[in-house]
Amino acid sequence: MIDLHMHTSRCGHASGTPEEYLEAAAAAGVSVMCFTDHLPLPTGTPRALEYAMPSEQLAQYVGDIRGLAVRSARAGGPEVLLGIEADWIEGRDDEIRRVCDESGFDMVLGSVHFVDGWAFDDPDLTDRYAEWDITELWDRYFATLSTAAGSGLFDVMAHPDLVKKFGHLPDVDPTPWYERAAEVFAAAGMALEVNTAGLRKPCAELYPAPGFLRAAHRRGIPVTCGSDAHRPGEVGAGMDAARDALLEAGYRSVVVFRGRVPEEVPL
Ligand code: ZN
Ligand code: FE
Ligand code: FE
Ligand code: ZN
């Protein structure tokens, strides 16, 4: 089993040390795991330290995970990869690119957690859904997702339909959003993530929705899969459902990134 998305206590809203995640991964039968703590946010971002690690900790994070990878390999444990989850923030391209190049990550997940500066996935800020027409919000979200995907900064777009997290669904057919996003992903050579955290959220389904995954498969977009674990007990969670959804959409393999190069692994 492969799990390429997980967080540790470093990011301010998850619990558990990398060692505890490694133990949990081994116990869950995970053979390849990738840590993807949140890339530090620019100073001045509201609640920056509740969303991501402080910038002075990035080097320690890199060192910790690389060290753990060596120890796990020596002990015959799961393969440990070093990734990062980076927010798409308009106008911050150069900085994100530089930090990611310097850190030598195996994989960079790109995420859209903000629409017009609002962290729409923050459970403390859900009041603001009431201010939106949900169709407009989805439009805005998918436009931002496409800009992020086309930026060339990321290897994989994480939880690609996160906008559904709290169950605010538009009353129109979402297929055109999925098709346009898939087109952008394909043109940009991006992979997409099947993320099982949605199963544990009010939307109660995988990210992305089945129709989005089928649109991605038709365009030959590679996929990764991740639990988005925010505590050790969630490592590997929902992976059977992810595998079923992938097979149903027509996928027969996923990809694992090492040194930012994807390699196919049969399902
Ligand atoms: Zn998180
Ligand atoms: Fe995220
Ligand atoms: Fe995450
Ligand atoms: Zn995430």
Side-chain angles (χ1 to χ4, degrees):
M1 190 200 305
I2 284 160
D3 186 345
L4 305 187
H5 189 156
M6 62 194 72
H7 300 273
T8 71
S9 58
R10 226 182 249 294
C11 73
H13 60 272
S15 61
T17 62
E19 287 75 11
E20 289 167 337
Y21 276 84
L22 175 62
E23 273 171 41
V30 170
S31 53
V32 185
M33 65 192 296
C34 186
F35 286 91
T36 53
D37 258 331
H38 297 278
L39 187 74
L41 285 160
T43 7
T45 309
R47 310 176 70 134
L49 298 185
E50 289 163 58
Y51 296 150
M53 72 179 99
S55 51
E56 59 276 13
Q57 283 193 20
L58 183 62
Q60 291 163 25
Y61 167 68
V62 169
D64 279 4
I65 304 302
R66 286 296 184 209
L68 189 69
V70 171
R71 290 199 297 283
S72 188
R74 280 198 195 123
E79 179 180 2
V80 174
L81 298 172
L82 170 66
I84 200 85
E85 177 172 4
D87 281 282
W88 165 251
I89 296 173
E90 200 82 52
R92 207 187 159 215
D93 316 32
D94 292 346
E95 189 192 345
I96 298 173
R97 186 172 285 107
R98 180 182 52 75
V99 173
C100 291
D101 288 353
E102 285 171 3
S103 303
F105 297 123
D106 287 303
M107 176 185 75
V108 178
L109 292 179
S111 290
V112 174
H113 296 121
F114 296 94
V115 164
D116 299 342
W118 165 44
F120 64 87
D121 74 326
D122 183 340
D124 292 340
L125 303 179
T126 52
D127 284 2
R128 290 195 51 189
Y129 279 94
E131 295 165 20
W132 279 88
D133 172 292
I134 297 304
T135 302
E136 260 170 52
L137 175 62
W138 277 53
D139 243 344
R140 197 77 197 93
Y141 169 82
F142 276 96
T144 309
L145 183 75
S146 290
T147 312
S151 70
L153 294 178
F154 313 116
D155 303 312
V156 185
M157 290 314 291
H159 41 63
D161 57 355
L162 183 63
V163 68
K164 75 184 175 191
K165 176 174 177 178
F166 296 106
H168 299 276
L169 305 178
D171 46 19
V172 296
D173 176 11
T175 308
W177 284 305
Y178 302 157
E179 294 293 339
R180 285 197 297 267
E183 213 169 288
V184 174
F185 281 38
M190 291 285 301
L192 166 156
E193 176 192 60
V194 175
N195 180 308
T196 66
L199 296 170
R200 312 188 291 272
K201 297 297 179 325
C203 62
E205 63 172 33
L206 294 166
Y207 308 111
F212 197 167
L213 198 54
R214 283 195 301 271
H217 179 258
R218 276 197 301 276
R219 289 181 169 81
I221 296 167
V223 290
T224 65
C225 49
S227 63
D228 210 345
H230 278 67
R231 50 190 180 82
E234 290 172 348
V235 177
M239 286 305 163
D240 288 343
R243 188 171 182 275
D244 290 349
L246 282 162
L247 289 170
E248 196 137 310
Y251 282 96
R252 295 297 174 261
S253 62
V254 293
V255 292
V256 171
F257 283 84
R258 296 181 185 85
R260 309 201 58 182
V261 177
E263 191 182 325
E264 257 186 86
V265 180
L267 270 172

